[in-house]
Coordinates of all heavy atoms in Angstrom, one line a residue:
P11 N 93.4 77.2 79.5 CA 93.2 77.4 80.9 C 94.5 77.7 81.7 O 94.5 78.5 82.6 CB 92.6 76.1 81.5 CG 92.0 75.4 80.3 CD 92.7 75.9 79.1
A12 N 95.6 77.1 81.2 CA 96.9 77.4 81.9 C 97.4 78.8 81.7 O 98.1 79.4 82.5 CB 98.0 76.4 81.4
L13 N 97.0 79.5 80.6 CA 97.4 80.8 80.3 C 96.5 81.9 81.0 O 96.8 83.0 81.0 CB 97.4 81.1 78.8 CG 98.5 80.3 78.0 CD1 98.3 80.6 76.5 CD2 99.8 80.7 78.5
R14 N 95.3 81.5 81.5 CA 94.4 82.4 82.1 C 95.0 83.3 83.2 O 94.9 84.5 83.2 CB 93.2 81.7 82.6 CG 92.1 82.7 83.1 CD 90.7 82.1 83.0 NE 89.7 82.9 83.6 CZ 89.2 84.0 83.1 NH1 89.6 84.4 81.9 NH2 88.3 84.7 83.7
P15 N 95.8 82.7 84.1 CA 96.4 83.5 85.2 C 97.4 84.6 84.6 O 97.4 85.7 85.0 CB 97.2 82.6 86.1 CG 96.4 81.3 85.9 CD 96.0 81.3 84.4
L16 N 98.1 84.2 83.5 CA 99.0 85.1 82.9 C 98.2 86.2 82.2 O 98.6 87.4 82.3 CB 99.9 84.4 81.9 CG 100.8 85.2 81.0 CD1 101.8 86.0 82.0 CD2 101.6 84.4 80.0
A17 N 97.1 85.9 81.5 CA 96.3 86.9 80.8 C 95.7 87.8 81.9 O 95.7 89.0 81.6 CB 95.2 86.2 80.1
L18 N 95.3 87.3 83.0 CA 94.7 88.2 84.0 C 95.8 89.2 84.6 O 95.5 90.3 84.8 CB 94.1 87.4 85.1 CG 92.8 86.6 84.7 CD1 92.3 85.7 85.9 CD2 91.7 87.6 84.3
R19 N 97.0 88.7 84.8 CA 98.1 89.5 85.3 C 98.4 90.6 84.2 O 98.7 91.7 84.6 CB 99.3 88.7 85.6 CG 99.1 87.9 86.9 CD 100.3 87.3 87.4 NE 101.2 88.4 88.0 CZ 102.5 88.3 88.1 NH1 103.1 87.3 87.7 NH2 103.1 89.3 88.6
C20 N 98.4 90.2 83.0 CA 98.7 91.2 81.9 C 97.6 92.3 81.9 O 97.9 93.5 81.8 CB 98.7 90.5 80.5 SG 100.2 89.5 80.3
L21 N 96.3 91.9 82.0 CA 95.2 92.9 82.0 C 95.4 93.8 83.3 O 95.1 95.0 83.2 CB 93.9 92.2 82.0 CG 93.5 91.6 80.7 CD1 92.2 90.8 80.8 CD2 93.2 92.7 79.7
E22 N 95.7 93.2 84.4 CA 95.9 94.0 85.6 C 97.0 95.0 85.4 O 96.9 96.2 85.7 CB 96.2 93.1 86.8 CG 96.3 93.8 88.1 CD 96.6 92.8 89.2 OE1 96.0 91.7 89.3 OE2 97.5 93.1 90.1
Y23 N 98.1 94.6 84.8 CA 99.2 95.5 84.5 C 98.8 96.6 83.6 O 99.1 97.8 83.8 CB 100.4 94.7 83.9 CG 101.6 95.6 83.5 CD1 102.4 96.1 84.5 CD2 101.7 95.9 82.2 CE1 103.5 96.9 84.1 CE2 102.8 96.8 81.9 CZ 103.6 97.3 82.8 OH 104.7 98.1 82.5
M24 N 98.1 96.2 82.5 CA 97.6 97.2 81.6 C 96.7 98.2 82.2 O 96.8 99.4 82.0 CB 97.0 96.5 80.4 CG 98.0 95.8 79.5 SD 97.3 94.7 78.2 CE 96.0 95.6 77.4
T25 N 95.8 97.7 83.1 CA 94.9 98.6 83.8 C 95.6 99.6 84.6 O 95.3 100.8 84.7 CB 93.9 97.8 84.6 OG1 93.2 96.9 83.7 CG2 92.9 98.6 85.3
D26 N 96.6 99.1 85.3 CA 97.4 100.0 86.2 C 98.3 101.0 85.4 O 98.8 101.9 86.0 CB 98.3 99.2 87.2 CG 97.4 98.4 88.2 OD1 96.2 98.8 88.4 OD2 98.0 97.5 88.8
S27 N 98.5 100.7 84.1 CA 99.4 101.5 83.3 C 98.7 102.5 82.4 O 99.4 103.0 81.4 CB 100.3 100.5 82.5 OG 101.0 99.7 83.4
V28 N 97.5 102.7 82.5 CA 96.8 103.6 81.6 C 97.2 105.0 81.8 O 97.3 105.5 83.0 CB 95.2 103.5 81.8 CG1 94.5 104.5 80.9 CG2 94.7 102.1 81.4
T29 N 97.6 105.7 80.8 CA 98.1 107.1 80.8 C 97.4 107.9 79.8 O 96.7 107.4 78.9 CB 99.6 107.2 80.6 OG1 99.9 106.8 79.2 CG2 100.4 106.3 81.5
V30 N 97.6 109.2 79.8 CA 97.1 110.1 78.8 C 97.6 109.6 77.4 O 96.8 109.7 76.4 CB 97.5 111.6 79.0 CG1 97.2 112.5 77.9 CG2 96.9 112.1 80.3
D31 N 98.8 109.2 77.3 CA 99.4 108.8 76.0 C 98.8 107.5 75.5 O 98.9 107.3 74.2 CB 100.9 108.7 76.2 CG 101.6 110.0 76.5 OD1 101.1 111.0 76.0 OD2 102.5 110.0 77.2
N32 N 98.3 106.6 76.3 CA 97.9 105.3 75.8 C 96.4 105.0 76.0 O 95.9 103.9 75.6 CB 98.8 104.2 76.3 CG 98.6 103.9 77.8 OD1 97.7 104.4 78.4 ND2 99.5 103.2 78.4
A33 N 95.7 105.9 76.6 CA 94.3 105.6 77.0 C 93.4 105.3 75.7 O 92.6 104.3 75.7 CB 93.7 106.7 77.8
L34 N 93.5 106.1 74.7 CA 92.7 105.9 73.5 C 93.1 104.6 72.8 O 92.2 103.8 72.4 CB 92.9 107.1 72.5 CG 92.2 108.3 73.0 CD1 92.5 109.5 72.0 CD2 90.7 108.1 73.0
S35 N 94.4 104.3 72.7 CA 94.8 103.1 72.1 C 94.3 101.8 72.8 O 93.9 100.9 72.3 CB 96.3 103.0 72.0 OG 96.8 104.1 71.2
L36 N 94.4 101.9 74.2 CA 94.0 100.7 75.0 C 92.5 100.6 74.9 O 91.9 99.5 74.9 CB 94.5 100.9 76.4 CG 95.9 100.7 76.6 CD1 96.4 101.0 78.1 CD2 96.3 99.2 76.3
F37 N 91.8 101.7 74.9 CA 90.3 101.7 74.7 C 89.9 101.0 73.4 O 89.1 100.1 73.4 CB 89.7 103.1 74.8 CG 88.2 103.1 74.7 CD1 87.4 102.9 75.9 CD2 87.6 103.2 73.5 CE1 86.0 102.8 75.8 CE2 86.2 103.2 73.4 CZ 85.4 103.0 74.6
S38 N 90.6 101.4 72.4 CA 90.3 100.8 71.0 C 90.6 99.3 71.1 O 89.9 98.5 70.5 CB 91.2 101.5 70.0 OG 90.9 102.8 69.8
L39 N 91.7 98.9 71.7 CA 92.1 97.5 71.9 C 91.0 96.8 72.6 O 90.6 95.7 72.2 CB 93.4 97.4 72.6 CG 94.0 96.0 72.8 CD1 94.4 95.4 71.5 CD2 95.1 96.1 73.8
C40 N 90.5 97.3 73.6 CA 89.4 96.7 74.4 C 88.2 96.4 73.5 O 87.6 95.4 73.6 CB 89.0 97.5 75.6 SG 90.2 97.6 76.9
E41 N 87.8 97.4 72.8 CA 86.6 97.4 71.9 C 86.7 96.4 70.8 O 85.8 95.7 70.5 CB 86.3 98.7 71.4 CG 85.6 99.7 72.3 CD 84.2 99.2 72.8 OE1 83.4 98.8 72.0 OE2 84.1 99.1 74.0
T42 N 87.9 96.3 70.2 CA 88.1 95.4 69.0 C 88.6 94.0 69.3 O 88.2 93.1 68.6 CB 89.0 96.1 68.0 OG1 90.2 96.4 68.6 CG2 88.4 97.4 67.5
H43 N 89.4 93.9 70.3 CA 90.1 92.6 70.5 C 89.9 91.9 71.9 O 90.1 90.7 72.0 CB 91.6 92.7 70.3 CG 91.9 93.2 68.9 ND1 91.7 92.4 67.8 CD2 92.5 94.3 68.5 CE1 92.1 93.1 66.7 NE2 92.6 94.2 67.1
L44 N 89.5 92.7 72.8 CA 89.4 92.2 74.2 C 88.1 92.6 74.8 O 88.0 93.4 75.7 CB 90.5 92.8 75.1 CG 92.0 92.6 74.6 CD1 92.9 93.4 75.4 CD2 92.3 91.1 74.6
P45 N 87.0 92.0 74.4 CA 85.7 92.4 74.9 C 85.4 92.1 76.3 O 84.5 92.6 76.9 CB 84.7 91.5 74.0 CG 85.5 90.4 73.5 CD 86.9 90.9 73.4
L46 N 86.2 91.3 77.0 CA 86.0 90.9 78.4 C 86.9 91.7 79.3 O 87.1 91.3 80.5 CB 86.2 89.4 78.6 CG 85.3 88.5 77.7 CD1 85.7 87.1 78.0 CD2 83.8 88.8 78.0
T47 N 87.3 92.9 78.9 CA 88.2 93.7 79.7 C 87.5 94.9 80.3 O 88.0 96.0 80.1 CB 89.4 94.1 78.9 OG1 88.9 94.8 77.8 CG2 90.3 92.9 78.5
D48 N 86.5 94.7 81.0 CA 85.7 95.9 81.6 C 86.5 96.8 82.5 O 86.4 98.0 82.4 CB 84.5 95.4 82.3 CG 83.4 94.8 81.4 OD1 83.4 95.2 80.2 OD2 82.6 94.0 81.9
Q49 N 87.4 96.2 83.3 CA 88.2 97.0 84.2 C 89.1 97.9 83.5 O 89.3 99.1 83.8 CB 88.9 96.2 85.2 CG 88.1 95.6 86.4 CD 87.4 96.7 87.1 OE1 86.2 96.9 87.1 NE2 88.1 97.5 87.9
L50 N 89.8 97.4 82.5 CA 90.7 98.2 81.7 C 90.0 99.3 80.9 O 90.4 100.4 80.9 CB 91.5 97.3 80.7 CG 92.5 97.9 79.7 CD1 93.5 98.8 80.5 CD2 93.1 96.9 78.8
K51 N 88.8 98.9 80.3 CA 88.0 99.9 79.6 C 87.6 101.0 80.5 O 87.7 102.2 80.1 CB 86.8 99.1 79.0 CG 86.0 99.9 78.0 CD 85.0 99.0 77.4 CE 84.0 99.8 76.6 NZ 82.9 98.9 76.1
K52 N 87.1 100.6 81.7 CA 86.7 101.7 82.7 C 87.8 102.6 83.0 O 87.6 103.8 83.1 CB 86.1 101.0 83.9 CG 84.7 100.4 83.7 CD 84.2 99.7 85.0 CE 83.0 99.0 84.7 NZ 82.5 98.2 85.8
R53 N 89.0 102.0 83.2 CA 90.2 102.9 83.6 C 90.5 103.8 82.4 O 90.8 105.0 82.7 CB 91.3 102.0 84.0 CG 92.6 102.7 84.3 CD 92.4 103.5 85.6 NE 93.6 104.3 85.9 CZ 93.6 105.6 86.2 NH1 92.4 106.2 86.4 NH2 94.7 106.3 86.3
C54 N 90.4 103.3 81.2 CA 90.7 104.1 80.1 C 89.7 105.3 80.0 O 90.1 106.5 79.8 CB 90.6 103.4 78.8 SG 91.9 102.2 78.5
V55 N 88.5 105.0 80.2 CA 87.5 106.1 80.2 C 87.7 107.1 81.3 O 87.6 108.3 81.1 CB 86.0 105.5 80.3 CG1 85.0 106.6 80.6 CG2 85.7 104.7 79.1
E56 N 88.1 106.7 82.5 CA 88.5 107.6 83.6 C 89.6 108.5 83.2 O 89.5 109.7 83.4 CB 88.9 106.8 84.8 CG 87.8 106.1 85.5 CD 88.3 105.2 86.7 OE1 89.5 105.3 87.0 OE2 87.5 104.5 87.2
V57 N 90.7 108.0 82.6 CA 91.8 108.8 82.2 C 91.4 109.7 81.1 O 91.8 110.9 81.1 CB 93.0 107.9 81.8 CG1 94.1 108.7 81.1 CG2 93.6 107.1 83.0
I58 N 90.7 109.3 80.1 CA 90.2 110.1 79.0 C 89.3 111.2 79.6 O 89.5 112.4 79.2 CB 89.5 109.3 78.0 CG1 90.5 108.3 77.3 CG2 88.8 110.2 76.9 CD1 89.8 107.2 76.5
R59 N 88.4 110.9 80.5 CA 87.5 111.9 81.0 C 88.3 113.0 81.8 O 88.0 114.2 81.7 CB 86.5 111.3 82.0 CG 85.5 112.3 82.6 CD 84.6 111.6 83.6 NE 83.5 110.9 82.9 CZ 83.2 109.6 83.1 NH1 83.9 108.9 84.0 NH2 82.3 109.1 82.4
D60 N 89.3 112.5 82.6 CA 90.1 113.5 83.4 C 91.0 114.3 82.6 O 91.6 115.3 83.1 CB 90.8 112.7 84.5 CG 89.9 112.1 85.5 OD1 88.7 112.4 85.6 OD2 90.4 111.2 86.2
N61 N 91.3 113.9 81.3 CA 92.3 114.6 80.5 C 91.8 114.9 79.1 O 92.6 114.8 78.1 CB 93.6 113.7 80.4 CG 94.2 113.5 81.8 OD1 94.8 114.3 82.3 ND2 93.9 112.3 82.3
V62 N 90.5 115.1 79.0 CA 89.9 115.2 77.6 C 90.5 116.3 76.7 O 90.6 116.0 75.5 CB 88.3 115.4 77.8 CG1 88.0 116.7 78.2 CG2 87.7 115.0 76.5
K63 N 90.9 117.4 77.3 CA 91.5 118.4 76.4 C 92.8 118.0 75.8 O 93.1 118.2 74.6 CB 91.7 119.7 77.2 CG 90.4 120.4 77.5 CD 90.6 121.8 78.2 CE 89.3 122.4 78.4 NZ 89.4 123.7 79.1
V64 N 93.7 117.4 76.6 CA 95.0 116.9 76.1 C 94.8 115.8 75.1 O 95.4 115.8 74.1 CB 95.9 116.5 77.3 CG1 97.1 115.8 76.8 CG2 96.2 117.6 78.2
I65 N 93.9 114.9 75.5 CA 93.7 113.7 74.7 C 93.1 114.0 73.3 O 93.4 113.5 72.3 CB 92.9 112.6 75.4 CG1 93.9 112.0 76.5 CG2 92.4 111.5 74.5 CD1 93.2 111.0 77.4
S66 N 92.1 115.0 73.4 CA 91.4 115.3 72.1 C 92.4 116.1 71.1 O 92.1 116.2 70.0 CB 90.2 116.2 72.4 OG 90.6 117.4 73.0
A67 N 93.5 116.5 71.6 CA 94.5 117.2 70.7 C 95.6 116.2 70.2 O 96.5 116.6 69.5 CB 95.2 118.3 71.5
S68 N 95.4 114.9 70.6 CA 96.5 114.0 70.2 C 96.2 113.3 68.9 O 95.1 113.2 68.4 CB 96.6 112.9 71.3 OG 95.4 112.1 71.2
P69 N 97.3 112.8 68.3 CA 97.1 112.0 67.0 C 96.3 110.8 67.2 O 95.5 110.4 66.3 CB 98.6 111.6 66.7 CG 99.4 112.6 67.3 CD 98.7 113.0 68.6
S70 N 96.3 110.2 68.4 CA 95.5 109.0 68.7 C 94.0 109.4 68.6 O 93.2 108.5 68.2 CB 95.8 108.5 70.1 OG 97.1 108.0 70.2
F71 N 93.6 110.6 69.0 CA 92.3 111.0 68.9 C 91.8 111.1 67.5 O 90.7 110.7 67.1 CB 92.0 112.3 69.7 CG 90.6 112.8 69.7 CD1 89.7 112.2 70.5 CD2 90.2 113.8 68.8 CE1 88.4 112.6 70.6 CE2 88.9 114.2 68.8 CZ 88.0 113.6 69.7
N72 N 92.7 111.7 66.6 CA 92.4 111.8 65.2 C 92.2 110.4 64.6 O 91.3 110.2 63.8 CB 93.4 112.6 64.5 CG 93.5 114.0 64.9 OD1 92.4 114.6 65.3 ND2 94.6 114.6 64.8
E73 N 93.0 109.4 65.0 CA 92.9 108.1 64.5 C 91.5 107.5 65.0 O 90.8 106.8 64.2 CB 94.1 107.2 65.0 CG 93.9 105.7 64.7 CD 93.8 105.4 63.2 OE1 94.3 106.1 62.4 OE2 93.3 104.3 62.9
L74 N 91.2 107.6 66.3 CA 90.0 107.1 66.8 C 88.8 107.6 66.0 O 87.8 106.9 65.8 CB 89.9 107.4 68.3 CG 88.6 106.9 68.9 CD1 88.8 105.6 69.5 CD2 88.1 107.9 70.0
C75 N 88.8 108.9 65.7 CA 87.7 109.5 65.0 C 87.4 109.0 63.6 O 86.3 109.2 63.0 CB 87.9 111.1 64.9 SG 87.7 111.9 66.5
T76 N 88.4 108.2 63.1 CA 88.1 107.5 61.8 C 87.3 106.2 61.9 O 87.1 105.6 60.9 CB 89.5 107.3 61.0 OG1 90.2 106.3 61.8 CG2 90.2 108.6 60.8
H77 N 87.0 105.9 63.2 CA 86.3 104.7 63.4 C 85.0 105.0 64.2 O 85.0 105.0 65.5 CB 87.1 103.7 64.3 CG 88.4 103.3 63.6 ND1 88.5 102.4 62.6 CD2 89.7 103.8 63.8 CE1 89.8 102.3 62.2 NE2 90.5 103.2 62.9
P78 N 83.9 105.3 63.5 CA 82.7 105.7 64.2 C 82.2 104.8 65.3 O 81.7 105.2 66.3 CB 81.6 105.8 63.0 CG 82.5 105.9 61.8 CD 83.8 105.2 62.1
S79 N 82.4 103.5 65.1 CA 81.9 102.6 66.2 C 82.7 102.8 67.5 O 82.1 102.7 68.6 CB 82.0 101.1 65.7 OG 83.3 100.8 65.4
L80 N 84.0 103.1 67.3 CA 84.8 103.3 68.5 C 84.4 104.6 69.2 O 84.4 104.8 70.4 CB 86.3 103.3 68.2 CG 86.9 102.0 67.8 CD1 88.3 102.1 67.4 CD2 86.8 101.0 68.9
V81 N 84.1 105.6 68.3 CA 83.7 106.9 68.9 C 82.4 106.8 69.7 O 82.3 107.3 70.8 CB 83.5 108.0 67.8 CG1 82.9 109.3 68.3 CG2 84.9 108.3 67.1
K82 N 81.5 106.0 69.1 CA 80.2 105.8 69.8 C 80.4 105.0 71.1 O 79.9 105.4 72.1 CB 79.3 105.0 68.9 CG 77.9 104.8 69.5 CD 77.0 104.0 68.5 CE 75.7 103.7 69.1 NZ 74.8 103.0 68.2
A83 N 81.3 104.0 71.1 CA 81.6 103.2 72.3 C 82.2 104.1 73.3 O 82.1 103.8 74.5 CB 82.4 102.0 71.9
L84 N 82.9 105.1 73.0 CA 83.6 106.0 73.9 C 82.7 107.1 74.4 O 82.7 107.4 75.6 CB 84.9 106.6 73.3 CG 85.7 107.5 74.2 CD1 86.1 106.8 75.5 CD2 86.8 108.1 73.4
V85 N 81.9 107.7 73.5 CA 81.1 108.8 73.9 C 80.0 108.4 75.0 O 79.8 109.2 75.9 CB 80.4 109.4 72.6 CG1 79.3 110.4 73.0 CG2 81.4 110.1 71.8
V86 N 79.4 107.3 74.9 CA 78.4 106.9 75.8 C 79.0 106.9 77.3 O 78.4 107.5 78.1 CB 77.7 105.6 75.4 CG1 76.8 105.1 76.5 CG2 77.0 105.8 74.1
P87 N 80.1 106.2 77.5 CA 80.6 106.2 78.9 C 81.1 107.6 79.3 O 81.0 108.0 80.5 CB 81.7 105.2 79.0 CG 81.9 104.7 77.6 CD 80.8 105.2 76.7
L88 N 81.6 108.4 78.4 CA 82.1 109.7 78.7 C 81.0 110.6 79.1 O 81.2 111.5 80.0 CB 82.9 110.3 77.6 CG 84.3 109.8 77.4 CD1 85.0 110.5 76.1 CD2 85.2 110.1 78.6
C89 N 79.9 110.4 78.5 CA 78.7 111.3 78.8 C 78.0 110.9 80.1 O 77.1 111.6 80.6 CB 77.8 111.4 77.7 SG 78.5 112.2 76.2
S90 N 78.3 109.7 80.6 CA 77.7 109.2 81.8 C 78.5 109.7 83.0 O 79.7 109.8 82.9 CB 77.7 107.6 81.8 OG 77.0 107.1 80.7
P91 N 77.8 110.0 84.1 CA 78.5 110.4 85.3 C 79.5 109.3 85.8 O 79.2 108.1 85.6 CB 77.4 110.7 86.3 CG 76.2 110.0 85.8 CD 76.4 109.8 84.3
P92 N 80.6 109.7 86.3 CA 81.5 108.7 86.9 C 80.8 107.9 87.9 O 79.9 108.4 88.7 CB 82.6 109.5 87.5 CG 82.5 110.9 87.0 CD 81.1 111.1 86.5
N93 N 81.2 106.6 88.1 CA 80.6 105.8 89.1 C 81.0 106.3 90.4 O 82.1 106.5 90.7 CB 81.0 104.3 88.9 CG 80.5 103.7 87.7 OD1 79.4 104.1 87.2 ND2 81.1 102.6 87.2
K94 N 80.0 106.4 91.3 CA 80.2 106.7 92.7 C 79.5 105.7 93.5 O 78.6 105.1 93.1 CB 79.6 108.1 93.0 CG 80.3 109.2 92.3 CD 79.7 110.6 92.7 CE 80.4 111.7 91.9 NZ 79.8 113.0 92.2
R95 N 80.0 105.6 94.7 CA 79.3 104.6 95.6 C 77.9 105.1 95.9 O 77.6 106.3 96.2 CB 80.0 104.5 97.0 CG 81.2 103.6 96.8 CD 81.6 103.2 98.2 NE 82.8 104.0 98.6 CZ 83.2 104.0 99.8 NH1 82.6 103.4 100.8 NH2 84.3 104.8 100.1
Q96 N 76.9 104.2 95.8 CA 75.5 104.6 96.1 C 75.2 104.5 97.5 O 75.8 103.7 98.2 CB 74.6 103.6 95.3 CG 75.0 103.6 93.8 CD 73.7 103.8 93.0 OE1 72.6 103.6 93.4 NE2 73.9 104.2 91.8
R97 N 74.4 105.4 98.0 CA 73.9 105.3 99.4 C 73.0 104.1 99.5 O 72.3 103.8 98.7 CB 73.1 106.6 99.7 CG 73.9 107.8 99.9 CD 73.0 108.8 100.4 NE 73.6 110.1 100.3 CZ 73.0 111.3 100.4 NH1 71.7 111.3 100.6 NH2 73.7 112.4 100.3
T98 N 73.1 103.5 100.7 CA 72.3 102.4 100.9 C 70.9 102.8 101.3 O 69.9 102.2 101.1 CB 72.8 101.4 102.0 OG1 73.1 102.2 103.2 CG2 74.1 100.8 101.5
Q99 N 70.8 104.0 101.9 CA 69.5 104.6 102.2 C 69.6 106.1 102.2 O 70.7 106.7 102.5 CB 69.0 104.1 103.5 CG 69.9 104.3 104.7 CD 69.4 103.8 106.0 OE1 68.8 104.6 106.7 NE2 69.5 102.5 106.2
G100 N 68.5 106.8 101.8 CA 68.5 108.3 101.8 C 68.4 108.8 103.1 O 68.2 108.1 104.1
P101 N 68.5 110.2 103.3 CA 68.4 110.8 104.6 C 67.1 110.6 105.3 O 67.0 110.4 106.5 CB 68.6 112.3 104.2 CG 69.2 112.4 102.9 CD 68.8 111.1 102.2
A102 N 66.0 110.6 104.5 CA 64.7 110.3 105.1 C 64.6 108.9 105.7 O 64.1 108.7 106.8 CB 63.5 110.6 104.1
A103 N 65.1 107.9 105.0 CA 65.1 106.6 105.5 C 66.0 106.4 106.7 O 65.6 105.7 107.6 CB 65.5 105.6 104.4
A104 N 67.1 107.1 106.7 CA 68.0 107.0 107.8 C 67.4 107.7 109.0 O 67.5 107.1 110.2 CB 69.3 107.8 107.5
A105 N 66.7 108.8 108.9 CA 66.0 109.4 110.0 C 64.9 108.5 110.5 O 64.7 108.4 111.7 CB 65.4 110.8 109.6
A106 N 64.1 107.9 109.6 CA 63.1 107.0 110.1 C 63.7 105.8 110.8 O 63.1 105.4 111.8 CB 62.3 106.5 108.9
A107 N 64.8 105.3 110.4 CA 65.4 104.1 111.1 C 65.9 104.6 112.4 O 65.8 103.8 113.4 CB 66.6 103.6 110.2
A108 N 66.4 105.8 112.5 CA 66.9 106.3 113.8 C 65.7 106.5 114.8 O 65.8 106.2 116.0 CB 67.7 107.6 113.6
A109 N 64.6 107.0 114.2 CA 63.4 107.2 115.1 C 62.9 105.8 115.6 O 62.4 105.8 116.7 CB 62.3 107.9 114.3
D110 N 63.0 104.8 114.8 CA 62.6 103.4 115.3 C 63.4 102.9 116.4 O 62.9 102.1 117.2 CB 62.7 102.4 114.1 CG 61.6 102.7 113.1 OD1 60.6 103.4 113.4 OD2 61.7 102.2 111.9
H111 N 64.6 103.4 116.5 CA 65.5 102.9 117.6 C 65.3 103.7 118.9 O 65.8 103.3 119.9 CB 67.0 103.0 117.2 CG 67.3 102.0 116.1 ND1 67.5 100.7 116.4 CD2 67.5 102.2 114.8 CE1 67.8 100.1 115.2 NE2 67.8 101.0 114.2
D112 N 64.5 104.7 118.9 CA 64.3 105.5 120.1 C 63.2 104.9 121.0 O 62.4 104.2 120.8 CB 63.9 107.0 119.8 CG 65.0 107.8 119.2 OD1 66.2 107.4 119.5 OD2 64.8 108.8 118.5

């Protein structure tokens, strides 16, 4: 328990430090050793998605491809649309709510 704040600070630092050069390695680390690091994993996927051409030409990518379970764990979030804020109500619901106030 005493190390938890330190571990959280380390994860925060790692999340803020994801780059094209380390995204694949950190993603692999999350999958194999740090299963509770969703924020770091999401940040890695963002960096990979935004730089897929550069990253797919890297030696780290070739290494990742030798681990089918890691490839599968990466492909699913990469193929999913990036998270966006969801509307609380659609245009029709907003218009109906506005009409109720008249």
Side-chain angles (χ1 to χ4, degrees):
L13 292 179
R14 184 154 175 80
L16 178 59
L18 292 175
R19 288 194 70 207
C20 288
L21 284 173
E22 184 179 317
Y23 176 79
M24 288 168 48
T25 301
D26 292 342
S27 302
V28 177
T29 67
V30 170
D31 295 324
N32 66 14
L34 288 172
S35 297
L36 288 173
F37 182 85
S38 297
L39 181 68
C40 289
E41 282 296 307
T42 56
H43 300 292
L44 304 171
L46 301 176
T47 55
D48 289 337
Q49 284 302 111
L50 177 57
K51 188 173 170 183
K52 287 176 187 176
R53 180 67 185 132
C54 290
V55 170
E56 289 172 8
V57 170
I58 294 165
R59 179 183 284 127
D60 293 346
N61 301 281
V62 72
K63 287 184 180 182
V64 172
I65 288 177
S66 65
S68 71
S70 295
F71 183 77
N72 292 334
E73 172 62 25
L74 179 91
C75 289
T76 64
H77 304 281
S79 62
L80 291 176
V81 173
K82 183 178 178 181
L84 179 59
V85 167
V86 172
L88 280 178
C89 293
S90 302
N93 289 339
K94 293 183 180 177
R95 280 198 258 166
Q96 303 230 342
R97 288 187 192 164
T98 54
Q99 53 180 267
D110 287 343
H111 292 282
D112 290 339

